[in-house]
Amino acid sequence: MSSIEFWEAKSLADMSTEEWEAICDGCGKCCLHSFINSEEEEEHFESTDVLREGEELLYTDVICQYSDIQTGGCTRYSERQTLVPTCVQLTKDNLKDIFFMPQSCSYRRLHEGRGLAAWHPLKNSGSKSLMHELNVSIKGKVVKETEVDLEEEFEEHIVEWPEFDCD
């Protein structure tokens, strides 16, 4: 008889802090610079929690300076909100607004009822090897923000691979 894992038995809202943190697969995609492209020319950018008609989310291969480009982890995780005020911390309260998270994001997958992917470290004895092997993570695909001028080179760094998901 197999036991039910916590992510199968509990909703995200019911998870403990430790369980919540364990759901993160560590792919690093949430640390990529992304932008909302709009068909309409707007004079003022307004923050949004949904994509509006005529808008699309564009990902770049440019990643936060504090990201470990080999593992996908944050090198300054406990300080990230202070060091990078725009760093979005996904919480139980803002989970409903996760349109900006890649399709493969484990929080998004659970929130949408798709379950954890077979490559998730929780299903692989804590190993990220399968995730890297299947090209779900940032490993080998990114450049640090300190090495790029996004204002000048933005279009050269737009990529589609962050939307890749597999199971």
Side-chain angles (χ1 to χ4, degrees):
M1 190 155 119
S2 65
S3 63
I4 296 177
E5 301 290 354
F6 74 87
W7 61 86
E8 297 169 324
K10 295 181 177 183
S11 71
L12 287 166
D14 292 333
M15 290 183 187
S16 68
T17 301
E18 182 179 287
E19 291 168 334
W20 176 269
E21 291 291 322
I23 293 302
C24 178
D25 52 56
C27 72
K29 290 180 185 177
C30 60
C31 299
L32 294 169
H33 286 264
S34 60
F35 301 89
I36 295 176
N37 187 29
S38 178
E39 292 175 354
E40 303 210 8
E41 290 294 322
E42 292 186 35
E43 288 186 27
H44 320 18
F45 174 77
E46 291 182 32
S47 182
T48 182
D49 55 6
V50 295
L51 285 176
R52 295 174 280 241
E53 188 174 329
E55 293 180 334
E56 67 177 324
L57 186 61
L58 299 177
Y59 289 95
T60 71
D61 61 359
V62 179
I63 197 150
C64 174
Q65 65 182 318
Y66 300 112
S67 294
D68 181 321
I69 61 175
Q70 293 302 309
T71 67
C74 181
T75 62
R76 307 287 291 274
Y77 188 75
S78 63
E79 306 166 271
R80 70 193 188 284
Q81 302 293 153
T82 304
L83 295 169
V84 183
T86 57
C87 177
V88 178
Q89 181 177 5
L90 196 57
T91 66
K92 295 174 185 181
D93 293 332
N94 67 7
L95 188 61
K96 67 187 184 319
D97 306 322
I98 60 172
F99 76 91
F100 58 88
M101 297 300 280
Q103 294 292 322
S104 62
C105 172
S106 296
Y107 296 102
R108 183 172 183 166
R109 288 179 60 100
L110 288 176
H111 181 70
E112 293 174 352
R114 295 185 286 137
L116 288 185
W119 47 260
H120 194 288
L122 284 173
K123 291 187 167 186
N124 292 278
S125 303
S127 173
K128 292 184 179 184
S129 295
L130 184 57
M131 178 177 64
H132 295 314
E133 187 179 309
L134 293 173
N135 281 321
V136 178
S137 73
I138 63 161
K139 188 174 183 178
K141 297 183 252 180
V142 296
V143 61
K144 293 242 183 174
E145 66 188 359
T146 52
E147 300 170 17
V148 174
D149 181 354
L150 267 180
E151 288 186 32
E152 295 293 321
E153 304 170 22
F154 170 74
E155 290 189 11
E156 296 170 34
H157 291 278
I158 295 173
V159 292
E160 294 182 5
W161 59 261
E163 280 298 325
F164 175 70
D165 190 11
C166 66
D167 197 17

